[in-house]
Amino acid sequence: MFVTPSQASPSRPIRVAIVGTGAIARVSHLPALRALAAEQPLEIVAAVDVDAASAEAFCAEAGTGRPYTDLDRMLAEERPDLVTLGTPPRFHRDQTIAALRAGAWVWCEKPPCPSLEDFDAIEAAEAPDKGGPFAAIVFQHRFGSGSDHVRALLAERAMGRPLVAHCQTTWYRDEAYYSAPWRGRWSTEGGGPAMGHGIHQMDLLLDLLGPWAEIRAMAGRLVHDVETEDVSTALVRFENGTMATIVNSVLSPDEVSRIRIDCERATVELTHLYGHRNADWRITPAPGVAAEQVAVWRDFGADVPSSHEAQLRGLLRDLRAGRRPRSSGADGRTSLELVSALYKAAFTGGTVRAGEIGPGDPYYSALHGNAPGWAPEPAEQSA
């Protein structure tokens, strides 16, 4: 391993390689790395893409790093401390494992990988007994002052027990979106809106409310001619007793991302689209709650927006300390397990309980579970 707790002194630059130089790397990863490089020793040493011109253009835009088209060669020559992955989900397992085995930590874009089997293979390649390397998933909506504040209020039961919740990702994707041949297919996009779009809000809901216990669901193809669903709904019971509804859609012209949690003494609601600030949260007290108490609940402190930068800042602290970062291991797996259970519940018509999808279950190795009418054609599965 290239970085250990003893080696990762605050003065030692963290060497970062970016794999996949498309839009997410340019719009989100690079700005976050630039901002953090202004705060601490950090350098981009390489960019990897199968398109040599794209890798070269990225390095030119970044003003640093060597372009590569071969991941293994880059890992051997550059020996990065951290690899950020912005490639399609079907490549995440092999690329993450290669980086971990080379001693690099990994920060991987969602969706994490196409199945729980893939995720468990990634976790098996980590080295927790040596302080890393670890692989974390990009779930930036968990991070920022708003989610931190509400998480603390819920953990302390400041507003009473959480009772009812709603998680909504209702977006709009037209035919042009699905004209790209890799979209709407299990093997390339990884799933429909439950996996590729709504997973962010579901992850935040889990981060706020804790472990889930059981789920029932429905899924449909109401508009688009795709393998995956274009809409899903679910009912979820959490271990703490909270009952929640989840809606994921790419059929909704009035786009919104929303989480609402009704507690005994107040309702807390987040309404946004692709990222949130303090002003996007609203707390409505129940009748009779003292104004002084409400003022404390509504004091979110300094505004730190949810962002790649906010999550990456914490991950770099963990890397230097040699400790497991948030959204890795079991903490990163929980959202993928809920998505897998949503698909199983929808496609089988049954209730799925937390922990039941494991080796031998068809939904462990594929989100479609080989369900009739939902699984891809045999030729595509073999491909």
Short mmCIF file of all heavy atoms in Angstrom, two decimals, residues 289-351:
data_model
loop_
_atom_site.label_atom_id
_atom_site.label_comp_id
_atom_site.label_asym_id
_atom_site.label_seq_id
_atom_site.Cartn_x
_atom_site.Cartn_y
_atom_site.Cartn_z
N VAL A 289 -45.36 23.52 20.25
CA VAL A 289 -43.91 23.51 20.45
C VAL A 289 -43.43 24.95 20.65
O VAL A 289 -43.81 25.86 19.90
CB VAL A 289 -43.18 22.88 19.25
CG1 VAL A 289 -41.66 22.96 19.43
CG2 VAL A 289 -43.62 21.43 19.07
N ALA A 290 -42.60 25.17 21.66
CA ALA A 290 -42.13 26.51 22.00
C ALA A 290 -41.31 27.11 20.87
O ALA A 290 -40.52 26.41 20.22
CB ALA A 290 -41.30 26.47 23.28
N ALA A 291 -41.47 28.40 20.65
CA ALA A 291 -40.75 29.09 19.58
C ALA A 291 -39.25 28.99 19.77
O ALA A 291 -38.49 28.90 18.80
CB ALA A 291 -41.19 30.55 19.52
N GLU A 292 -38.80 29.02 21.02
CA GLU A 292 -37.37 28.92 21.30
C GLU A 292 -36.82 27.58 20.83
O GLU A 292 -35.70 27.50 20.31
CB GLU A 292 -37.10 29.11 22.80
CG GLU A 292 -37.45 30.48 23.35
CD GLU A 292 -38.95 30.63 23.62
OE1 GLU A 292 -39.70 29.62 23.46
OE2 GLU A 292 -39.36 31.75 23.98
N GLN A 293 -37.60 26.52 21.03
CA GLN A 293 -37.17 25.20 20.59
C GLN A 293 -37.12 25.13 19.07
O GLN A 293 -36.18 24.58 18.49
CB GLN A 293 -38.13 24.14 21.11
CG GLN A 293 -37.76 22.72 20.71
CD GLN A 293 -36.44 22.29 21.29
OE1 GLN A 293 -36.35 21.99 22.47
NE2 GLN A 293 -35.39 22.25 20.48
N VAL A 294 -38.10 25.70 18.40
CA VAL A 294 -38.13 25.69 16.95
C VAL A 294 -36.93 26.45 16.39
O VAL A 294 -36.32 26.03 15.39
CB VAL A 294 -39.44 26.31 16.44
CG1 VAL A 294 -39.44 26.38 14.90
CG2 VAL A 294 -40.64 25.51 16.93
N ALA A 295 -36.57 27.54 17.03
CA ALA A 295 -35.42 28.33 16.56
C ALA A 295 -34.14 27.50 16.61
O ALA A 295 -33.29 27.60 15.72
CB ALA A 295 -35.27 29.59 17.40
N VAL A 296 -34.00 26.67 17.63
CA VAL A 296 -32.82 25.81 17.73
C VAL A 296 -32.82 24.79 16.59
O VAL A 296 -31.80 24.55 15.94
CB VAL A 296 -32.79 25.08 19.09
CG1 VAL A 296 -31.68 24.03 19.12
CG2 VAL A 296 -32.59 26.08 20.22
N TRP A 297 -33.98 24.19 16.33
CA TRP A 297 -34.07 23.22 15.24
C TRP A 297 -33.73 23.85 13.89
O TRP A 297 -33.13 23.22 13.04
CB TRP A 297 -35.49 22.65 15.16
CG TRP A 297 -35.90 21.83 16.34
CD1 TRP A 297 -35.08 21.30 17.31
CD2 TRP A 297 -37.23 21.46 16.69
NE1 TRP A 297 -35.83 20.62 18.24
CE2 TRP A 297 -37.15 20.69 17.88
CE3 TRP A 297 -38.49 21.69 16.12
CZ2 TRP A 297 -38.28 20.16 18.51
CZ3 TRP A 297 -39.61 21.16 16.74
CH2 TRP A 297 -39.51 20.40 17.92
N ARG A 298 -34.14 25.11 13.71
CA ARG A 298 -33.95 25.77 12.42
C ARG A 298 -32.59 26.42 12.25
O ARG A 298 -32.32 27.01 11.21
CB ARG A 298 -35.06 26.81 12.23
CG ARG A 298 -36.44 26.21 12.00
CD ARG A 298 -37.51 27.28 11.95
NE ARG A 298 -38.81 26.72 11.58
CZ ARG A 298 -39.96 27.39 11.65
NH1 ARG A 298 -39.96 28.66 12.07
NH2 ARG A 298 -41.10 26.81 11.29
N ASP A 299 -31.75 26.31 13.25
CA ASP A 299 -30.41 26.89 13.16
C ASP A 299 -29.45 25.87 12.54
O ASP A 299 -28.91 25.01 13.22
CB ASP A 299 -29.92 27.30 14.55
CG ASP A 299 -28.55 27.97 14.51
OD1 ASP A 299 -28.03 28.18 13.39
OD2 ASP A 299 -28.00 28.27 15.59
N PHE A 300 -29.26 25.97 11.23
CA PHE A 300 -28.43 25.02 10.50
C PHE A 300 -26.95 25.40 10.51
O PHE A 300 -26.12 24.66 10.00
CB PHE A 300 -28.92 24.91 9.06
CG PHE A 300 -30.16 24.07 8.89
CD1 PHE A 300 -31.39 24.55 9.30
CD2 PHE A 300 -30.09 22.82 8.32
CE1 PHE A 300 -32.54 23.78 9.14
CE2 PHE A 300 -31.22 22.03 8.16
CZ PHE A 300 -32.47 22.52 8.58
N GLY A 301 -26.62 26.55 11.05
CA GLY A 301 -25.23 26.98 11.06
C GLY A 301 -24.76 27.48 9.71
O GLY A 301 -25.56 27.79 8.82
N ALA A 302 -23.44 27.53 9.53
CA ALA A 302 -22.87 27.98 8.27
C ALA A 302 -23.32 27.07 7.13
O ALA A 302 -23.38 25.85 7.29
CB ALA A 302 -21.36 28.01 8.35
N ASP A 303 -23.59 27.67 5.98
CA ASP A 303 -24.13 26.92 4.84
C ASP A 303 -23.00 26.19 4.10
O ASP A 303 -22.13 26.82 3.50
CB ASP A 303 -24.85 27.86 3.90
CG ASP A 303 -25.65 27.12 2.83
OD1 ASP A 303 -25.76 25.89 2.93
OD2 ASP A 303 -26.16 27.78 1.92
N VAL A 304 -23.02 24.86 4.16
CA VAL A 304 -22.10 24.02 3.38
C VAL A 304 -22.96 23.17 2.45
O VAL A 304 -23.60 22.21 2.89
CB VAL A 304 -21.25 23.12 4.29
CG1 VAL A 304 -20.32 22.25 3.44
CG2 VAL A 304 -20.46 23.94 5.30
N PRO A 305 -23.03 23.50 1.16
CA PRO A 305 -23.89 22.76 0.24
C PRO A 305 -23.46 21.30 0.11
O PRO A 305 -22.28 20.97 0.28
CB PRO A 305 -23.71 23.50 -1.09
CG PRO A 305 -23.18 24.85 -0.72
CD PRO A 305 -22.36 24.63 0.50
N SER A 306 -24.42 20.44 -0.19
CA SER A 306 -24.05 19.06 -0.54
C SER A 306 -23.25 19.11 -1.83
O SER A 306 -23.59 19.86 -2.75
CB SER A 306 -25.31 18.21 -0.74
OG SER A 306 -26.05 18.64 -1.87
N SER A 307 -22.18 18.34 -1.92
CA SER A 307 -21.33 18.43 -3.10
C SER A 307 -20.30 17.33 -3.09
O SER A 307 -20.01 16.71 -2.05
CB SER A 307 -20.61 19.79 -3.15
OG SER A 307 -19.70 19.90 -2.06
N HIS A 308 -19.69 17.11 -4.26
CA HIS A 308 -18.54 16.22 -4.34
C HIS A 308 -17.42 16.73 -3.44
O HIS A 308 -16.72 15.94 -2.78
CB HIS A 308 -18.06 16.12 -5.79
CG HIS A 308 -18.90 15.24 -6.66
ND1 HIS A 308 -20.18 15.57 -7.04
CD2 HIS A 308 -18.63 14.03 -7.25
CE1 HIS A 308 -20.68 14.61 -7.81
NE2 HIS A 308 -19.76 13.67 -7.96
N GLU A 309 -17.24 18.03 -3.43
CA GLU A 309 -16.17 18.61 -2.63
C GLU A 309 -16.35 18.29 -1.15
O GLU A 309 -15.38 17.93 -0.45
CB GLU A 309 -16.12 20.12 -2.83
CG GLU A 309 -15.05 20.82 -2.02
CD GLU A 309 -15.11 22.34 -2.18
OE1 GLU A 309 -15.59 22.82 -3.22
OE2 GLU A 309 -14.66 23.02 -1.24
N ALA A 310 -17.59 18.42 -0.65
CA ALA A 310 -17.84 18.15 0.77
C ALA A 310 -17.53 16.70 1.12
O ALA A 310 -16.93 16.41 2.17
CB ALA A 310 -19.28 18.50 1.11
N GLN A 311 -17.94 15.76 0.27
CA GLN A 311 -17.66 14.36 0.57
C GLN A 311 -16.17 14.06 0.44
O GLN A 311 -15.59 13.37 1.29
CB GLN A 311 -18.44 13.43 -0.35
CG GLN A 311 -18.15 11.95 -0.03
CD GLN A 311 -18.95 10.97 -0.86
OE1 GLN A 311 -19.76 11.36 -1.71
NE2 GLN A 311 -18.76 9.68 -0.61
N LEU A 312 -15.54 14.57 -0.61
CA LEU A 312 -14.14 14.26 -0.84
C LEU A 312 -13.26 14.82 0.26
O LEU A 312 -12.24 14.21 0.63
CB LEU A 312 -13.71 14.80 -2.20
CG LEU A 312 -12.29 14.43 -2.67
CD1 LEU A 312 -12.08 12.93 -2.67
CD2 LEU A 312 -12.02 15.01 -4.06
N ARG A 313 -13.63 15.96 0.82
CA ARG A 313 -12.84 16.54 1.91
C ARG A 313 -12.76 15.55 3.09
O ARG A 313 -11.69 15.33 3.67
CB ARG A 313 -13.44 17.86 2.37
CG ARG A 313 -12.65 18.53 3.49
CD ARG A 313 -13.24 19.87 3.89
NE ARG A 313 -12.98 20.88 2.87
CZ ARG A 313 -13.90 21.38 2.05
NH1 ARG A 313 -15.16 20.94 2.11
NH2 ARG A 313 -13.59 22.29 1.16
N GLY A 314 -13.88 14.95 3.43
CA GLY A 314 -13.88 13.97 4.51
C GLY A 314 -13.13 12.71 4.16
O GLY A 314 -12.42 12.13 5.00
N LEU A 315 -13.25 12.27 2.90
CA LEU A 315 -12.54 11.06 2.48
C LEU A 315 -11.03 11.26 2.57
O LEU A 315 -10.30 10.36 2.99
CB LEU A 315 -12.96 10.67 1.07
CG LEU A 315 -12.42 9.34 0.53
CD1 LEU A 315 -13.43 8.69 -0.39
CD2 LEU A 315 -11.11 9.53 -0.23
N LEU A 316 -10.54 12.43 2.19
CA LEU A 316 -9.10 12.70 2.26
C LEU A 316 -8.61 12.70 3.71
O LEU A 316 -7.51 12.23 4.00
CB LEU A 316 -8.77 14.02 1.58
CG LEU A 316 -8.98 14.05 0.06
CD1 LEU A 316 -8.74 15.46 -0.48
CD2 LEU A 316 -8.08 13.05 -0.64
N ARG A 317 -9.44 13.21 4.62
CA ARG A 317 -9.07 13.14 6.05
C ARG A 317 -8.95 11.69 6.49
O ARG A 317 -8.02 11.32 7.21
CB ARG A 317 -10.12 13.86 6.90
CG ARG A 317 -10.05 15.38 6.85
CD ARG A 317 -10.82 16.00 8.00
NE ARG A 317 -12.24 15.67 7.95
CZ ARG A 317 -13.17 16.44 7.38
NH1 ARG A 317 -12.82 17.60 6.82
NH2 ARG A 317 -14.44 16.08 7.38
N ASP A 318 -9.90 10.86 6.05
CA ASP A 318 -9.86 9.45 6.43
C ASP A 318 -8.66 8.74 5.81
O ASP A 318 -8.03 7.89 6.45
CB ASP A 318 -11.16 8.77 5.99
CG ASP A 318 -12.37 9.30 6.75
OD1 ASP A 318 -12.21 9.72 7.91
OD2 ASP A 318 -13.47 9.29 6.17
N LEU A 319 -8.35 9.09 4.58
CA LEU A 319 -7.19 8.49 3.91
C LEU A 319 -5.92 8.78 4.70
O LEU A 319 -5.11 7.89 4.96
CB LEU A 319 -7.10 9.01 2.48
CG LEU A 319 -6.09 8.34 1.53
CD1 LEU A 319 -6.52 8.55 0.08
CD2 LEU A 319 -4.68 8.86 1.72
N ARG A 320 -5.75 10.03 5.09
CA ARG A 320 -4.54 10.38 5.84
C ARG A 320 -4.50 9.70 7.21
O ARG A 320 -3.43 9.38 7.72
CB ARG A 320 -4.46 11.90 6.01
CG ARG A 320 -4.20 12.65 4.70
CD ARG A 320 -3.90 14.13 4.95
NE ARG A 320 -3.70 14.86 3.70
CZ ARG A 320 -2.55 14.90 3.04
NH1 ARG A 320 -1.51 14.20 3.49
NH2 ARG A 320 -2.43 15.59 1.92
N ALA A 321 -5.69 9.46 7.80
CA ALA A 321 -5.74 8.83 9.11
C ALA A 321 -5.73 7.31 9.04
O ALA A 321 -5.58 6.64 10.06
CB ALA A 321 -7.00 9.30 9.85
N GLY A 322 -5.92 6.76 7.82
CA GLY A 322 -5.95 5.31 7.68
C GLY A 322 -7.17 4.67 8.30
O GLY A 322 -7.11 3.59 8.89
N ARG A 323 -8.34 5.32 8.17
CA ARG A 323 -9.59 4.76 8.72
C ARG A 323 -10.64 4.67 7.63
O ARG A 323 -10.60 5.38 6.63
CB ARG A 323 -10.09 5.64 9.87
CG ARG A 323 -10.46 7.05 9.44
CD ARG A 323 -10.94 7.91 10.60
NE ARG A 323 -11.15 9.29 10.15
CZ ARG A 323 -10.58 10.35 10.69
NH1 ARG A 323 -9.75 10.22 11.73
NH2 ARG A 323 -10.82 11.56 10.21
N ARG A 324 -11.59 3.78 7.82
CA ARG A 324 -12.62 3.55 6.81
C ARG A 324 -13.47 4.80 6.62
O ARG A 324 -13.98 5.37 7.58
CB ARG A 324 -13.53 2.38 7.22
CG ARG A 324 -14.66 2.13 6.21
CD ARG A 324 -15.51 0.95 6.57
NE ARG A 324 -14.83 -0.32 6.36
CZ ARG A 324 -14.65 -0.89 5.18
NH1 ARG A 324 -15.08 -0.29 4.07
NH2 ARG A 324 -14.03 -2.06 5.08
N PRO A 325 -13.69 5.25 5.36
CA PRO A 325 -14.51 6.43 5.10
C PRO A 325 -15.99 6.08 5.07
O PRO A 325 -16.37 4.92 4.88
CB PRO A 325 -14.02 6.89 3.73
CG PRO A 325 -13.62 5.61 3.05
CD PRO A 325 -13.04 4.73 4.14
N ARG A 326 -16.81 7.09 5.22
CA ARG A 326 -18.25 6.89 5.06
C ARG A 326 -18.55 6.48 3.63
O ARG A 326 -17.79 6.76 2.72
CB ARG A 326 -19.00 8.18 5.40
CG ARG A 326 -19.00 8.53 6.88
CD ARG A 326 -19.68 9.87 7.11
NE ARG A 326 -21.08 9.84 6.74
CZ ARG A 326 -21.87 10.92 6.65
NH1 ARG A 326 -21.35 12.12 6.88
NH2 ARG A 326 -23.14 10.80 6.31
N SER A 327 -19.68 5.80 3.45
CA SER A 327 -20.17 5.28 2.17
C SER A 327 -19.23 4.25 1.57
O SER A 327 -19.16 4.08 0.35
CB SER A 327 -20.46 6.40 1.16
OG SER A 327 -19.32 6.93 0.56
N SER A 328 -18.50 3.54 2.43
CA SER A 328 -17.71 2.39 1.99
C SER A 328 -18.13 1.18 2.83
O SER A 328 -18.79 1.33 3.86
CB SER A 328 -16.21 2.64 2.16
OG SER A 328 -15.85 2.66 3.54
N GLY A 329 -17.76 -0.02 2.40
CA GLY A 329 -18.09 -1.21 3.15
C GLY A 329 -19.59 -1.35 3.36
O GLY A 329 -20.40 -1.04 2.49
N ALA A 330 -19.97 -1.79 4.56
CA ALA A 330 -21.39 -1.99 4.87
C ALA A 330 -22.18 -0.70 4.73
O ALA A 330 -23.35 -0.70 4.32
CB ALA A 330 -21.53 -2.55 6.29
N ASP A 331 -21.56 0.44 5.04
CA ASP A 331 -22.24 1.73 4.95
C ASP A 331 -22.51 2.11 3.49
O ASP A 331 -23.50 2.78 3.20
CB ASP A 331 -21.37 2.80 5.62
CG ASP A 331 -22.06 4.15 5.69
OD1 ASP A 331 -23.26 4.19 6.02
OD2 ASP A 331 -21.40 5.17 5.41
N GLY A 332 -21.66 1.69 2.58
CA GLY A 332 -21.89 1.95 1.17
C GLY A 332 -22.81 0.93 0.52
O GLY A 332 -23.49 1.22 -0.47
N ARG A 333 -22.86 -0.27 1.11
CA ARG A 333 -23.64 -1.37 0.53
C ARG A 333 -25.13 -1.21 0.78
O ARG A 333 -25.95 -1.71 0.01
CB ARG A 333 -23.14 -2.68 1.14
CG ARG A 333 -23.72 -3.96 0.52
CD ARG A 333 -23.18 -5.17 1.27
NE ARG A 333 -23.44 -6.42 0.59
CZ ARG A 333 -24.56 -7.13 0.74
NH1 ARG A 333 -25.53 -6.69 1.52
NH2 ARG A 333 -24.70 -8.29 0.10
N THR A 334 -25.51 -0.53 1.85
CA THR A 334 -26.91 -0.52 2.27
C THR A 334 -27.85 0.02 1.20
O THR A 334 -28.96 -0.48 1.03
CB THR A 334 -27.06 0.28 3.58
OG1 THR A 334 -28.42 0.25 3.98
CG2 THR A 334 -26.62 1.74 3.42
N SER A 335 -27.42 1.05 0.45
CA SER A 335 -28.29 1.61 -0.58
C SER A 335 -28.47 0.64 -1.74
O SER A 335 -29.57 0.49 -2.28
CB SER A 335 -27.72 2.94 -1.08
OG SER A 335 -27.65 3.87 -0.03
N LEU A 336 -27.39 -0.03 -2.15
CA LEU A 336 -27.49 -1.01 -3.22
C LEU A 336 -28.35 -2.20 -2.80
O LEU A 336 -29.11 -2.75 -3.60
CB LEU A 336 -26.09 -1.49 -3.64
CG LEU A 336 -26.04 -2.49 -4.79
CD1 LEU A 336 -26.68 -1.91 -6.05
CD2 LEU A 336 -24.60 -2.92 -5.08
N GLU A 337 -28.28 -2.56 -1.52
CA GLU A 337 -29.12 -3.65 -1.03
C GLU A 337 -30.60 -3.25 -1.10
O GLU A 337 -31.46 -4.06 -1.49
CB GLU A 337 -28.75 -4.03 0.40
CG GLU A 337 -29.57 -5.21 0.91
CD GLU A 337 -29.37 -5.53 2.37
OE1 GLU A 337 -28.72 -4.73 3.08
OE2 GLU A 337 -29.88 -6.59 2.81
N LEU A 338 -30.90 -2.00 -0.73
CA LEU A 338 -32.29 -1.55 -0.80
C LEU A 338 -32.78 -1.52 -2.25
O LEU A 338 -33.91 -1.94 -2.53
CB LEU A 338 -32.43 -0.16 -0.17
CG LEU A 338 -33.85 0.42 -0.18
CD1 LEU A 338 -34.80 -0.46 0.62
CD2 LEU A 338 -33.86 1.84 0.36
N VAL A 339 -31.95 -1.04 -3.17
CA VAL A 339 -32.34 -1.03 -4.58
C VAL A 339 -32.56 -2.45 -5.09
O VAL A 339 -33.54 -2.73 -5.80
CB VAL A 339 -31.27 -0.31 -5.42
CG1 VAL A 339 -31.54 -0.49 -6.91
CG2 VAL A 339 -31.22 1.18 -5.08
N SER A 340 -31.66 -3.37 -4.74
CA SER A 340 -31.82 -4.76 -5.16
C SER A 340 -33.11 -5.34 -4.61
O SER A 340 -33.84 -6.07 -5.32
CB SER A 340 -30.62 -5.60 -4.66
OG SER A 340 -29.40 -5.09 -5.15
N ALA A 341 -33.42 -5.03 -3.36
CA ALA A 341 -34.64 -5.54 -2.74
C ALA A 341 -35.87 -4.92 -3.38
O ALA A 341 -36.92 -5.58 -3.51
CB ALA A 341 -34.62 -5.25 -1.24
N LEU A 342 -35.78 -3.64 -3.78
CA LEU A 342 -36.90 -3.00 -4.47
C LEU A 342 -37.22 -3.74 -5.76
O LEU A 342 -38.39 -4.04 -6.04
CB LEU A 342 -36.57 -1.53 -4.74
CG LEU A 342 -37.66 -0.65 -5.34
CD1 LEU A 342 -37.41 0.82 -4.98
CD2 LEU A 342 -37.77 -0.78 -6.86
N TYR A 343 -36.18 -4.05 -6.54
CA TYR A 343 -36.42 -4.78 -7.78
C TYR A 343 -36.99 -6.17 -7.51
O TYR A 343 -37.93 -6.61 -8.18
CB TYR A 343 -35.12 -4.89 -8.58
CG TYR A 343 -34.73 -3.63 -9.32
CD1 TYR A 343 -33.49 -3.03 -9.12
CD2 TYR A 343 -35.60 -3.03 -10.22
CE1 TYR A 343 -33.13 -1.88 -9.79
CE2 TYR A 343 -35.25 -1.87 -10.90
CZ TYR A 343 -34.01 -1.30 -10.68
OH TYR A 343 -33.66 -0.15 -11.36
N LYS A 344 -36.45 -6.85 -6.52
CA LYS A 344 -36.95 -8.21 -6.23
C LYS A 344 -38.41 -8.15 -5.79
O LYS A 344 -39.24 -8.95 -6.25
CB LYS A 344 -36.10 -8.87 -5.15
CG LYS A 344 -36.58 -10.28 -4.80
CD LYS A 344 -35.68 -10.96 -3.78
CE LYS A 344 -36.20 -12.37 -3.48
NZ LYS A 344 -35.33 -13.10 -2.50
N ALA A 345 -38.73 -7.18 -4.93
CA ALA A 345 -40.11 -7.06 -4.47
C ALA A 345 -41.04 -6.72 -5.63
O ALA A 345 -42.15 -7.26 -5.73
CB ALA A 345 -40.19 -5.99 -3.38
N ALA A 346 -40.60 -5.84 -6.51
CA ALA A 346 -41.44 -5.43 -7.64
C ALA A 346 -41.65 -6.56 -8.63
O ALA A 346 -42.76 -6.76 -9.15
CB ALA A 346 -40.82 -4.23 -8.34
N PHE A 347 -40.59 -7.31 -8.92
CA PHE A 347 -40.67 -8.33 -9.96
C PHE A 347 -41.27 -9.64 -9.48
O PHE A 347 -41.74 -10.45 -10.28
CB PHE A 347 -39.28 -8.58 -10.55
CG PHE A 347 -38.67 -7.37 -11.23
CD1 PHE A 347 -37.31 -7.33 -11.51
CD2 PHE A 347 -39.44 -6.28 -11.58
CE1 PHE A 347 -36.73 -6.22 -12.11
CE2 PHE A 347 -38.88 -5.16 -12.19
CZ PHE A 347 -37.53 -5.13 -12.45
N THR A 348 -41.25 -9.87 -8.16
CA THR A 348 -41.83 -11.11 -7.62
C THR A 348 -43.19 -10.88 -6.98
O THR A 348 -43.94 -11.83 -6.76
CB THR A 348 -40.90 -11.74 -6.57
OG1 THR A 348 -40.77 -10.84 -5.45
CG2 THR A 348 -39.53 -12.03 -7.16
N GLY A 349 -43.49 -9.63 -6.64
CA GLY A 349 -44.76 -9.34 -5.98
C GLY A 349 -44.77 -9.67 -4.51
O GLY A 349 -45.84 -9.63 -3.88
N GLY A 350 -43.62 -9.95 -3.94
CA GLY A 350 -43.56 -10.33 -2.54
C GLY A 350 -42.93 -9.26 -1.67
O GLY A 350 -42.52 -8.19 -2.13
N THR A 351 -42.85 -9.56 -0.38
CA THR A 351 -42.16 -8.70 0.58
C THR A 351 -40.73 -9.18 0.73
O THR A 351 -40.49 -10.39 0.87
CB THR A 351 -42.86 -8.75 1.95
OG1 THR A 351 -44.19 -8.25 1.82
CG2 THR A 351 -42.11 -7.90 2.98
#
